[in-house]
Amino acid sequence: TGIYGTSLFFEILCREGLAEEAYTAMTKRDFPSFGWWLEQGATTTWEEWNGKNSRNHPMFGGGLVWMYRWIAGVQTDDAEPGYRHIILRPTPVGDLTWASYTTETSYGDLSVRWDLKAGGRFKLKTRIPRGTHASVYLPDGSDPVEIRAGRKTFKCKI
């Protein structure tokens, strides 16, 4: 996918309803892939898939953004930038049973954690900073829930 395509590849797959395919691509272990880097002992993103040149290079880091934007589900609303309106759209995929993400915004810390238990029991815990609001889209396809600042927990079956 190259330098430009990699930053969009996972995002576009998820937007088009192909999150499982994005997960499969992210977790593959053969060359060339992020998983292959892990197999080689990488702890950073490399400049080239084959490991030549810099081994601390953000060029392919766009693929990692997918983890917090889609797996954890933390997205922003372009109409209300700077995390004023937060969109939470967690995406459980593959064999993942949980995801967690915290980031510092200009309003304070934002955090999410989801867990997927046996029988498809899904639980999402959120902490939304003061002065912001969020739209929560649960993976059961129900209508979004609008929330204000504070800690909230959501449950559904998927």
Side-chain angles (χ1 to χ4, degrees):
T1 57
I3 185 173
Y4 300 110
T6 300
S7 66
L8 300 172
F9 179 75
F10 300 98
E11 180 88 15
I12 291 170
L13 284 175
C14 288
R15 281 188 195 169
E16 296 300 317
L18 299 169
E20 289 291 337
E21 287 80 356
Y23 179 75
T24 298
M26 179 58 79
T27 57
K28 69 180 254 176
R29 298 286 195 189
D30 56 335
F31 178 84
S33 68
F34 292 103
W36 186 82
W37 283 346
L38 293 173
E39 294 291 325
Q40 307 313 303
T43 58
T44 60
T45 55
W46 295 351
E47 183 174 359
E48 297 183 40
W49 289 116
N50 62 12
K52 293 184 180 185
N53 297 318
S54 170
R55 290 201 171 188
N56 187 10
H57 201 89
M59 182 170 110
F60 290 118
L64 305 178
V65 170
W66 166 80
M67 291 181 185
Y68 73 80
R69 287 184 47 83
W70 288 93
I71 298 299
V74 176
Q75 302 173 17
T76 57
D77 182 348
D78 291 341
E80 295 185 61
Y83 288 96
R84 178 93 170 107
H85 177 218
I86 302 153
I87 299 167
L88 301 178
R89 191 185 311 265
T91 309
V93 290
D95 56 358
L96 293 178
T97 58
W98 67 275
S100 178
Y101 178 70
T102 300
T103 190
E104 185 178 333
T105 75
S106 58
Y107 298 97
D109 285 348
L110 161 67
S111 68
V112 299
R113 178 183 172 100
W114 62 256
D115 292 278
L116 182 59
K117 302 292 184 189
R121 293 176 293 131
F122 182 86
K123 183 177 183 179
L124 173 67
K125 291 183 176 183
T126 66
R127 182 175 63 201
I128 307 301
R130 290 181 197 204
T132 69
H133 61 108
S135 300
V136 180
Y137 294 80
L138 295 173
D140 66 352
S142 59
D143 290 337
V145 178
E146 303 299 321
I147 61 173
R148 297 277 174 203
R151 296 175 188 270
K152 306 276 191 293
T153 300
F154 301 89
K155 295 178 182 179
C156 70
K157 188 162 176 145
I158 56 174

